[in-house]
Amino acid sequence: QTKLPPLEKPPTTTVFVGNISERAPDTLIKQMLQRCGNVISWKRVQGVNSKLQTFGFCEFDNPEATLRCIRLLNGYEIAEKKLSVK
């Protein structure tokens, strides 16, 4: 009986999400990201007085989710601003 080698886990990948409208709730952005794949973490940068900034970083558990996110959400318009996803 031969043992199969353990499957390698794909590397985690991070995507930059910019040009987020100040009117877009953080929960909406996170829900959109989760539709692209399994989100390990989502961090929208906070500025002075804990004000949410117009960009953040999302970590996915595999590269396919990152590519899907870039393909689907880059240029997606929310509250008259187009997301920049890289």
Side-chain angles (χ1 to χ4, degrees):
Q1 192 174 19
T2 58
K3 255 189 161 181
L4 293 173
L7 292 175
E8 279 193 40
K9 195 173 175 223
T12 61
T13 50
T14 303
V15 68
F16 167 84
V17 182
N19 204 34
I20 303 170
S21 171
E22 291 179 3
R23 299 184 315 193
D26 202 40
T27 52
L28 171 69
I29 302 299
K30 187 169 184 180
Q31 286 173 352
M32 292 174 65
L33 292 166
Q34 288 171 332
R35 300 232 171 187
C36 296
N38 188 31
V39 173
I40 295 173
S41 68
W42 162 243
K43 179 75 175 159
R44 189 161 170 185
V45 177
Q46 290 186 327
V48 183
N49 301 327
S50 297
K51 182 181 176 200
L52 289 175
Q53 298 297 297
T54 61
F55 66 97
F57 299 91
C58 179
E59 186 178 17
F60 287 103
D61 70 350
N62 67 66
E64 286 82 19
T66 299
L67 293 172
R68 189 178 307 115
C69 179
I70 293 168
R71 189 176 68 243
L72 295 175
L73 299 182
N74 188 44
Y76 191 86
E77 191 172 312
I78 301 175
E80 299 164 9
K81 287 185 101 175
K82 288 186 179 184
L83 292 178
S84 173
V85 182
K86 301 177 182 181

